[in-house]
Amino acid sequence: MPKARGRTSRIRRRKCFKSSPARGVNESCKSEFIDLRKWLKDRNFEDRNLAPAHFPGTGRGLMSTAGLQEGRMIISLPECCLLTTDTVMGSYLGAYITKWKPPPSPLLALCTFLVSEKHAGDRSPWKPYLDILPKSYTCPVCLEPEVVDLLPRPLQVKAEEQRAHVREFFVSSRTFFSSLQPLFAEAVDSIFSYSALLWAWCTVNTRAVYLRRRQQEGLSAEPDTCALAPFLDLLNHSPHAQKQDLMRRLVVMKSERLQGAEEILVKYLPSTDKQLNKKISILRDHGFIEDLTFGWDGPSWTLLTALKLLCLEPERFTCWKKILLGEVISDTNEKASLDITRRICCDFIEETSAVLQKIACRKVDCAALLPQLALVEALRTEELQILKASAGILDGLHAAFA
């Protein structure tokens, strides 16, 4: 049967294409996006090729309503639509920022403006943009302590470091906020609270685009590279890109988790090895305490090589250079290093599985933490899949020596 090419057929195909679950659900008809488009149009920006949509796996983003050609510009946003330090310094905050010493950072200026405009509500000219921003975030700094405890230790450390950084950012800014009291009828402490500043900090750090700008008079010399771009910041990547990015983070996490051979690797080695300290020193001197990872394609070459050296028999210790060059010393050495690698991988699988069970229980008991728990669950699930993939590859390698 010939392929339908009539007008009715084209309309039907177009409707199916627009409503495809894989493409996402068009949200252009929502009031907040109607207001945003009007707001952008008033600033001489109008785009009919992209529409806000909700995608499975990545959430809100922009969908194309027409075919895109390679090399074609997708979107061009006028500078007057951007929220930058120029915006802040040209506003009612400019005079207060300029006279404050030491000069506030560009980040503080942007955060202060966001908090102030959000507080203004309907009176803010930026309201249509503020209305589509997330009400809360799942950045590590926003996670509750009981959720942070479910992260792998290296990520726990990063979350705690980030929390300390933002807390210091808030504490060091409070006197500056006090200087803004003449602008507000309410007490500035209630406006520029920690939660308000945290929201603004996350907004800038998760949604800003890079835009190199000249140093603003009245601001510190820190790089001024952040710009908030209404509508443009809805652009998102595909679920596959997100998955790949998550995998890279997990690989890095695994690397950190295995670093410090004395704490992790050594406990799998014979305590009677008198050459152990020397072996560790060699690994450190030659950069073999980095990239100790498990990935989709198995344990990293660096991890396997490090364990081969650590498993060297005393009588073969002089062969350590050959191992670092990738040579096989003996079947015994190969098997011993693979055995330890499997044990480490299996222990991580067991540990990750136990954490996932805890998360499942917490999801039942702590409904308020569901979004945060879902994030950690996704991270841990991906971690478990990577470890199981590595375990399968290790089983195949080990079978060769059975």
Side-chain angles (χ1 to χ4, degrees):
M1 180 181 291
K3 187 175 181 179
R5 298 181 182 277
R7 180 173 178 271
T8 302
S9 177
R10 287 197 303 271
I11 294 174
R12 187 182 299 115
R13 288 200 303 272
R14 191 178 300 122
K15 286 182 178 180
C16 290
F17 181 66
K18 287 185 177 181
S19 62
S20 169
R23 276 183 54 82
V25 179
N26 193 318
E27 295 189 335
S28 295
C29 59
K30 289 194 171 183
S31 60
E32 61 265 34
F33 289 115
I34 293 174
D35 291 343
L36 179 64
R37 283 191 176 277
K38 290 179 179 177
W39 184 84
L40 290 167
K41 187 176 181 181
D42 289 342
R43 287 160 176 75
N44 300 317
F45 173 77
E46 190 169 10
D47 186 285
R48 299 188 182 279
N49 295 321
L50 296 171
H54 190 278
F55 295 89
T58 57
R60 275 186 171 176
L62 289 177
M63 66 185 296
S64 171
T65 57
L68 297 177
Q69 297 178 348
E70 184 177 353
R72 177 185 173 185
M73 181 179 293
I74 298 176
I75 185 172
S76 178
L77 197 68
E79 189 170 357
C80 62
C81 296
L82 301 179
L83 199 168
T84 66
T85 53
D86 282 340
T87 311
V88 180
M89 298 306 286
S91 73
Y92 53 90
L93 291 173
Y96 288 85
I97 292 174
T98 301
K99 66 183 180 183
W100 187 257
K101 304 299 178 191
S105 67
L107 175 60
L108 178 56
L110 288 172
C111 288
T112 303
F113 186 81
L114 282 171
V115 173
S116 179
E117 290 298 301
K118 187 178 182 183
H119 171 73
D122 292 341
R123 294 178 285 111
S124 171
W126 290 86
K127 184 180 185 300
Y129 174 55
L130 297 174
D131 283 348
I132 67 161
L133 290 174
K135 302 299 184 289
S136 61
Y137 292 90
T138 52
C139 307
V141 68
C142 300
L143 300 181
E144 293 297 324
E146 55 265 44
V147 177
V148 172
D149 289 342
L150 297 170
L151 291 169
R153 182 56 190 163
L155 295 185
Q156 289 182 33
V157 172
K158 289 186 180 298
E160 291 160 1
E161 289 175 349
Q162 194 178 80
R163 184 183 295 274
H165 171 74
V166 177
R167 174 62 65 176
E168 171 58 27
F169 180 60
F170 170 68
V171 171
S172 63
S173 304
R174 294 185 73 178
T175 51
F176 166 68
F177 296 147
S178 297
S179 72
L180 305 178
Q181 185 61 71
L183 293 171
F184 304 96
E186 303 88 343
V188 289
D189 286 348
S190 65
I191 299 171
F192 295 93
S193 62
Y194 175 74
S195 60
L197 187 67
L198 176 61
W199 170 82
W201 187 92
C202 290
T203 296
V204 175
N205 281 277
T206 64
R207 306 183 71 84
V209 297
Y210 182 90
L211 183 66
R212 187 74 183 183
R213 309 186 65 77
R214 59 178 175 77
Q215 182 181 347
Q216 287 274 3
E217 184 178 351
L219 294 178
S220 70
E222 294 177 33
D224 188 355
T225 57
C226 291
L228 290 168
F231 195 70
L232 175 64
D233 64 6
L234 287 171
L235 278 173
N236 211 339
H237 42 59
S238 73
H240 299 293
Q242 184 184 48
K243 189 173 183 180
Q244 289 298 317
D245 183 56
L246 178 60
M247 186 201 71
R248 293 191 198 99
R249 293 201 301 272
L250 284 167
V251 168
V252 171
M253 177 204 68
K254 279 299 177 191
S255 176
E256 295 178 57
R257 187 174 188 173
L258 285 171
Q259 283 179 5
E262 300 90 340
E263 299 176 6
I264 302 295
L265 300 184
V266 172
K267 75 176 184 179
Y268 292 91
L269 301 167
S271 59
T272 55
D273 188 350
K274 297 180 180 179
Q275 298 168 324
L276 188 57
N277 290 335
K278 179 61 177 175
K279 291 175 180 178
I280 292 172
S281 179
I282 290 172
L283 292 174
R284 289 191 179 281
D285 291 345
H286 291 81
F288 277 77
I289 302 294
E290 298 177 0
D291 190 33
L292 303 176
T293 64
F294 291 107
W296 291 110
D297 54 354
S300 67
W301 179 81
T302 309
L303 174 58
L304 290 173
T305 302
L307 284 169
K308 288 177 186 179
L309 191 147
L310 291 170
C311 290
L312 264 179
E313 306 95 318
E315 63 273 14
R316 295 182 180 272
F317 181 69
T318 54
C319 299
W320 66 265
K321 288 185 179 178
K322 293 182 178 180
I323 285 186
L324 297 188
L325 292 173
E327 295 185 27
V328 175
I329 301 303
S330 68
D331 285 355
T332 301
N333 179 263
E334 294 284 313
K335 184 176 183 301
S337 60
L338 282 175
D339 282 343
I340 292 178
T341 310
R342 286 177 72 204
R343 286 167 56 196
I344 294 172
C345 189
C346 288
D347 284 353
F348 283 174
I349 288 174
E350 184 178 340
E351 175 192 320
T352 303
S353 298
V355 173
L356 282 168
Q357 290 180 351
K358 288 183 180 178
I359 293 172
C361 294
R362 295 281 180 87
K363 287 173 70 177
V364 174
D365 300 333
C366 307
L369 296 179
L370 278 179
Q372 295 187 13
L373 290 170
L375 175 70
V376 179
E377 183 178 46
L379 181 72
R380 285 292 198 170
T381 300
E382 188 84 359
E383 177 187 22
L384 184 61
Q385 292 172 346
I386 290 173
L387 288 168
K388 286 183 175 180
S390 282
I393 291 170
L394 283 166
D395 286 343
L397 293 172
H398 191 268
F401 296 94

